[in-house]
Amino acid sequence: MAEVEQLLLLSDDFLDRSFTERERDILTEIAASPERIAARFAAKEAVLKALQTGFSNGLSFLDIEVFNHPSGAPYVILHGPTRQLSDSLGVSRWLISLSHDGGKAIASVVAA
């Protein structure tokens, strides 16, 4: 869970290291609140945890993109080494839930 108050100090450097250009464009377009940004960041961290790794083997937050279907349901797209690891583990589907309220954000991810 991330404290939104801490994210009020978001820097461009943090956003550049954590989100792809496409994600940053969407966050800007929807005027995403710090809570919403925190939930997406938490989802990326949860994906790495579901893969049972951290940032080893060249894995990066930029290899994980979090978007929403037109219905609002969130989904992830993996790239590069993160995608390769996911494929090698036989993950064919990601189930993701994002929530934020009252200055807190949380995400849960299931690799199926």
Side-chain angles (χ1 to χ4, degrees):
M1 207 178 298
E3 292 288 338
V4 173
E5 291 80 20
Q6 294 171 345
L7 292 172
L8 291 176
L9 301 174
L10 288 175
S11 68
D12 287 339
D13 183 54
F14 168 78
L15 294 172
D16 290 346
R17 286 182 289 118
S18 304
F19 298 95
T20 65
E21 183 176 350
R22 183 173 168 214
E23 287 175 301
R24 291 190 314 271
D25 288 346
I26 290 170
L27 291 173
T28 299
E29 181 182 310
I30 65 172
S33 67
E35 289 176 329
R36 186 172 277 185
I37 294 168
R40 282 165 162 50
F41 182 81
K44 292 174 177 244
E45 188 174 28
V47 166
L48 292 176
K49 288 179 180 180
L51 292 171
Q52 300 180 13
T53 187
F55 293 102
S56 60
N57 302 319
L59 302 184
S60 163
F61 282 130
L62 298 179
D63 288 341
I64 306 162
E65 293 184 300
V66 180
F67 297 112
N68 292 86
H69 291 291
S71 68
Y75 67 96
V76 297
I77 298 174
L78 303 182
H79 305 281
T82 306
R83 174 62 183 256
Q84 292 169 352
L85 176 59
S86 173
D87 290 347
S88 75
L89 294 172
V91 177
S92 62
R93 194 169 143 195
W94 290 93
L95 305 172
I96 178 172
S97 177
L98 306 176
S99 185
H100 46 81
D101 186 41
K104 307 243 188 262
I106 190 168
S108 69
V109 172
V110 176

